[in-house]
Amino acid sequence: SSEVLEAIENVIEDVFKSLAQKKAPVLTLANRSGWRNVEFKDSVGLQMIPRCTTKQIRSDCPRSASKFALMLKILSMIYKMVQTNTYATKRDIYYSDTLLFGSQSVVDNIINDISCMLKIPRRSLHVLSTTKGFVAGNLSYTEEDGTKVNCTCGATAVTVPSNVQGIKNLISHAKFMLIVEKDATFQRLLDDDFCNKLSPCIMITGRGVPDLNTRLLVRKLWDTFQLPIFTLMDADPHGVEIMCIYKYGSVSMSFEAHHLTVPSIKWLGLLPSDLERLNIRKDALIPFTKRDLTKLASIQKRPYIACQPTWKKELEIMAASKLKAEIQVLTSLSSDYLSRVYLPNKLQFGGWL
């Protein structure tokens, strides 16, 4: 905490120095939105380059003056929380003055900018993000406040903890981990008691694009147990994008890649090549939209696809057919095909990439 307080004090000191010299104070941030500032490293995923381009948030420029003020405001809130050892969610911060902040996304963006500027992970700033992910299966742990949590598969899942760094005494006899893109599929597998049927496993869903806590938990479980991790996504560009976020990270959070990515993650399904192999009826597939075409083209150009020839092939199949499929398409074969046939066969015969 003293490191966080010192980092904030240094920023404020620079502001005072500028004012004393009758200069307009400026905050300098790394540019988090461009691929130019990111490099791909096999062992880490997407990480920010050391000498990245920066942008200035000036206090004397009408375009950035309000952002400058909001950054100072949130810095002062963080300083107070670290001093008093209290925590707040990004939502709490927004609701402390909705008129001032204007929208939740403004707060989210500023907090990520501050984390990147100070080079301090967000949870050390005492800012928690609201969790939307679920975890179930062969796993138990103790939360920071001493609450014991048991995720062993019942019909209900446990919400991913909001302070992943604080959990301890993790115990699991799982043989693998399965990341499921969608909540509906996750619930279906829970109902089919998938976590216990084949061999004990841990299932996680970020319910679409994963939030930070879900990604932190996947990484923590991998660090703790070194389990094989498989992903179950829709066979569409959006599903591939989500899988890449878990595996390689995202451009905007590349400054935190070391805590968030697991490059050993495998693509289990739904593969574009599975659709042909399983003779899925053409009328059960969905034609690409313009957005799908753009998204797929952008994914195909990314640096990590070049070192994944099998993934590249699957994306080419998708591009050639211009058709996509949701995981639920497997119910056209039989209602429990996913848990009874598809996943057991894939896991037993190594049908992943």
Side-chain angles (χ1 to χ4, degrees), residues 227-283:
L227 293 169
I229 304 179
F230 304 106
T231 58
L232 181 62
M233 305 280 150
D234 287 341
D236 67 7
H238 191 63
V240 175
E241 169 95 291
I242 288 170
M243 172 172 60
C244 292
I245 290 173
Y246 282 109
K247 187 175 170 77
Y248 296 125
S250 59
V251 172
S252 65
M253 292 300 289
S254 57
F255 65 95
E256 271 225 55
H258 291 269
H259 309 287
L260 293 171
T261 61
V262 183
S264 64
I265 283 174
K266 302 279 183 273
W267 186 4
L268 187 69
L270 190 59
L271 302 177
S273 59
D274 289 340
L275 304 175
E276 210 162 277
R277 187 175 59 81
L278 298 170
N279 288 322
I280 302 284
R281 295 193 327 268
K282 280 274 188 285
D283 62 354

Side-chain angles (χ1 to χ4, degrees), residues 7-268:
I8 296 173
E9 283 160 10
N10 289 340
V11 171
I12 302 306
E13 205 176 305
D14 286 345
V15 169
F16 277 126
K17 274 182 189 159
S18 299
L19 290 170
Q21 293 163 5
K22 300 209 169 9
K23 287 181 188 161
V26 168
L27 297 173
T28 306
L29 307 178
N31 213 331
R32 289 190 301 116
S33 58
W35 280 89
R36 277 180 322 178
N37 279 338
V38 169
E39 62 182 355
F40 169 64
K41 206 170 164 198
D42 249 358
S43 57
V44 183
L46 298 174
Q47 59 176 12
M48 193 168 264
I49 57 174
R51 289 169 302 283
C52 60
T53 60
T54 56
K55 57 181 178 183
Q56 291 195 325
I57 309 296
R58 302 190 61 86
S59 59
D60 61 347
C61 163
R63 271 218 333 265
S64 60
S66 67
K67 182 166 182 176
F68 179 91
L70 291 179
M71 284 188 77
L72 290 192
K73 165 77 175 165
I74 291 179
L75 276 168
S76 76
M77 292 171 88
I78 290 170
Y79 192 85
K80 203 175 279 180
M81 289 192 299
V82 175
Q83 259 187 335
T84 56
N85 197 22
T86 52
Y87 287 82
T89 63
K90 295 186 297 183
R91 212 170 157 72
D92 295 333
I93 291 174
Y94 168 61
Y95 279 107
S96 70
D97 199 332
T98 52
L99 277 176
L100 178 71
F101 294 119
S103 78
Q104 182 69 61
S105 60
V106 167
V107 172
D108 298 357
N109 202 18
I110 286 178
I111 287 163
N112 286 340
D113 277 340
I114 286 173
S115 171
C116 186
M117 175 176 77
L118 301 178
K119 295 186 172 53
I120 288 169
R122 196 167 70 194
R123 56 214 161 274
S124 303
L125 302 176
H126 286 228
V127 179
L128 306 171
S129 49
T130 334
T131 295
K132 65 183 177 107
F134 288 131
V135 57
N138 195 297
L139 173 69
S140 62
Y141 56 84
T142 309
E143 288 201 346
E144 202 179 22
D145 63 1
T147 311
K148 286 185 167 51
V149 178
N150 189 356
C151 306
T152 306
C153 244
T156 54
V158 171
T159 308
V160 167
S162 58
N163 188 356
V164 174
Q165 294 314 101
I167 65 174
K168 48 191 184 291
N169 308 333
L170 289 92
I171 300 167
S172 177
H173 304 292
K175 297 283 179 274
F176 64 93
M177 237 166 94
L178 182 66
I179 298 172
V180 183
E181 177 186 350
K182 282 184 174 155
D183 193 24
T185 310
F186 180 85
Q187 296 299 339
R188 178 67 214 243
L189 289 171
L190 266 188
D191 295 343
D192 290 349
D193 196 25
F194 178 74
C195 299
N196 301 314
K197 267 189 182 153
L198 198 61
S199 57
C201 75
I202 298 169
M203 279 199 325
I204 286 187
T205 180
R207 298 161 77 197
V209 177
D211 58 292
L212 207 64
N213 293 328
T214 305
R215 290 170 63 190
L216 283 167
L217 183 62
V218 169
R219 175 64 198 232
K220 182 151 188 138
L221 292 173
W222 186 74
D223 283 339
T224 311
F225 303 116
Q226 301 283 310
L227 293 169
I229 304 179
F230 304 106
T231 58
L232 181 62
M233 305 280 150
D234 287 341
D236 67 7
H238 191 63
V240 175
E241 169 95 291
I242 288 170
M243 172 172 60
C244 292
I245 290 173
Y246 282 109
K247 187 175 170 77
Y248 296 125
S250 59
V251 172
S252 65
M253 292 300 289
S254 57
F255 65 95
E256 271 225 55
H258 291 269
H259 309 287
L260 293 171
T261 61
V262 183
S264 64
I265 283 174
K266 302 279 183 273
W267 186 4
L268 187 69

